[in-house]
Structures are given as structure tokens and as C-alpha cells.
Amino acid sequence: MASLPGSKVLLIGLLSAMTCFVALAIDNNPLQDFCVADPNSQVLVNGLVCKNPNNATAEDFFTSGLNEAGDTSNAVGSNVTLVNVVRIPGLNTLSLSIARIDYAPRGINPPHTHPRATEILTVIKGQLRVGFVTSNPENRLIAKDLHEGDVYVFPEGLIHFQQNNGEGNAVAIAALNSQNPGVITIANAVFGSDPDIPSDILAKAFMLNEEKVKELQARFDN
Ligand SMILES: *[C@@H]1O[C@H](CO)[C@@H](O)[C@H](O)[C@H]1NC(C)=O
Ligand SMILES: *[C@@H]1O[C@H](CO)[C@@H](O)[C@H](O)[C@H]1NC(C)=O
């Protein structure tokens, strides 16, 4: 193979370095052992300001109560108990959070996306039907039925859902690679925004008449 001229090697090196930089959409790497969030700071930064590390205690890295089921007596029949940087200040800058999800029989965790995290979910109890939709190739559903002990991945940013398709309650534990993964629940964001997205826009987008759109918007206002 002919050797590449120096300038070409440099260009390729630069391009791959830029690619690495662009691909860094997840939380940044920490630059110190930890950065326990200071809840009292008025300074706004990307993430949260660190308190003095000498003042960090075990409580900053701790929470409890994930043994308790969330109340699933709501419209969708599920409840997400999220443990992010708000609940454990020591998670600040560490690119990690965890959630317990409870599902009533036939309950769903409706289609949603986490703008800043990939999710890995383990079924602790019961069984779930889960899936996500790809962006490339466009709109392909990748779905599976899961049982106790099964683990499934929802890649960052993709719309995904879970449904309890078993007889009893179901429980899952999900880990996410962001201290603050964020969640956009599709139906609520689209039909429940405040103020409303103009109904003629949604009518065209969803191939519905405007009356139907207004009815849906009214249902999501509460
Ligand atoms: C935090 O640590 C600094 C230095 O170790 C100390 O002066 C300060 O009083 C501490 N603050 C609190 C709230 O404990
Ligand atoms: C989830 O469960 C908690 C604890 O039971 C409850 O306070 C909360 O209102 C529930 N959330 C929803 C959306 O039902």
C-alpha cells in the first residue's frame, strides 16, 4: 500500500478527532473524584455547582426507598420512581441515574424518549413487552417480550415503551447514562403542551380533523 503524504495523515487525524468530539453527546467525563451538587448555589452552569469536597458525606451518595412500589392507579397504569442528581447530589457529573418502574396488569410506560441517555432495563418481577423505534432505517420497531431477569437496551434519544403483558404486577429497574436523562412523553408533549400547538398543525401532522385534535388536547390538559 502506498504511504499517505503527511498532510493527508494529518487531515485524517484531525477528522477522526473531530468525529470523537462530535460524538460526545452524553454527559462529560468528571475532572475530579466527585462534584457533589450544592443545592444552595445560585450559579447556573451546565450541570450543578460542586460543594466543597471536604464537606461531602455518605448521605450525599445515598438514597433509599426503591423497595417501595410507586402508585400505579393512574391513567397509564405505571409509575416511574427516578433517582437522578436531584435525589442523590453525589451523582453530579457522574453520567448515571437509576429508576424503579412499577406496572399494573396491562399498564404501560407510554412511548417516550430520553434526550440525554441510553437506558438499560432489567425485569425484576413479572413480564413486559418492550420496544423502540429506529431513526435510520426510518421508523423500524425493534420489540421483544421480556421475563424476569431479562435485560433490554433502549438507545439514546429513540422513542421506546413498555407494557405489562402478564397477569400480575411487574417491576423493572432501569439504569441511564446521564445524571439528568430527561423525559419527553410523546403524547403529552404533542397534545398536552402549554400553550397548545395550533390544532391545524396537529390535524395535518396526525391526519385527524381539528375537532379530534381539540378533543385530545382537552384530555391532556390537567
Ligand atoms: C465546608 O468546608 C469548608 C472548608 O473545609 C468549611 O470552612 C465550611 O464551614 C464547610 N461548610 C459547611 C456548610 O460545612
Ligand atoms: C407514583 O407513586 C408515588 C408514590 O406512591 C406517588 O406519590 C406519585 O403520585 C405517583 N405518580 C403518578 C404519576 O402516579
Side-chain angles (χ1 to χ4, degrees):
M1 196 180 109
S3 67
L4 292 167
S7 62
K8 219 171 216 175
V9 173
L10 187 69
L11 183 67
I12 292 169
L14 256 175
L15 280 177
S16 48
M18 279 167 70
T19 314
C20 290
F21 180 73
V22 171
L24 246 183
I26 50 161
D27 292 8
N28 290 324
N29 286 329
L31 304 177
Q32 64 267 307
D33 279 356
F34 52 77
C35 166
V36 173
D38 176 358
N40 303 316
S41 173
Q42 298 303 305
V43 179
L44 300 180
V45 296
N46 185 20
L48 296 158
V49 169
C50 318
K51 74 179 196 183
N52 187 325
N54 295 327
N55 298 339
T57 69
E59 297 310 305
D60 291 323
F61 301 92
F62 172 83
T63 190
S64 67
L66 275 208
N67 56 326
E68 281 163 31
D71 181 358
T72 58
S73 59
N74 50 49
V76 290
S78 75
N79 192 311
V80 179
T81 308
L82 177 64
V83 176
N84 63 5
V85 67
V86 175
R87 189 150 158 186
I88 301 187
L91 279 177
N92 194 32
T93 74
L94 295 183
S95 313
L96 205 59
S97 53
I98 195 166
R100 170 185 173 130
I101 314 166
D102 289 279
Y103 311 83
R106 310 314 293 178
I108 61 162
N109 187 5
H112 64 281
T113 163
H114 304 292
R116 290 174 292 279
T118 291
E119 172 174 345
I120 184 164
L121 174 144
T122 305
V123 182
I124 298 300
K125 184 180 166 200
Q127 59 186 66
L128 296 177
R129 170 163 297 163
V130 306
F132 63 84
V133 178
T134 63
S135 79
N136 183 17
E138 237 176 271
N139 303 333
R140 181 174 161 223
L141 173 65
I142 299 188
K144 191 167 172 63
D145 289 343
L146 304 182
H147 301 90
E148 255 173 50
D150 290 352
V151 179
Y152 203 76
V153 173
F154 304 105
E156 179 170 341
L158 300 188
I159 293 176
H160 59 283
F161 60 84
Q162 299 107 34
Q163 178 191 46
N164 177 359
N165 60 349
E167 300 298 323
N169 293 334
V171 183
I173 297 286
L176 300 108
N177 65 333
S178 171
Q179 65 179 40
N180 179 25
V183 60
I184 298 168
T185 302
I186 307 307
N188 303 59
V190 170
F191 293 106
S193 70
D194 183 17
D196 283 337
I197 297 175
S199 53
D200 60 322
I201 294 177
L202 294 182
K204 200 165 261 185
F206 286 84
M207 293 182 263
L208 296 170
N209 63 46
E210 275 191 65
E211 282 61 49
K212 191 69 197 170
V213 168
K214 284 180 178 147
E215 188 190 318
L216 285 169
Q217 286 177 320
R219 280 197 214 169
F220 280 95
D221 284 344
N222 47 42

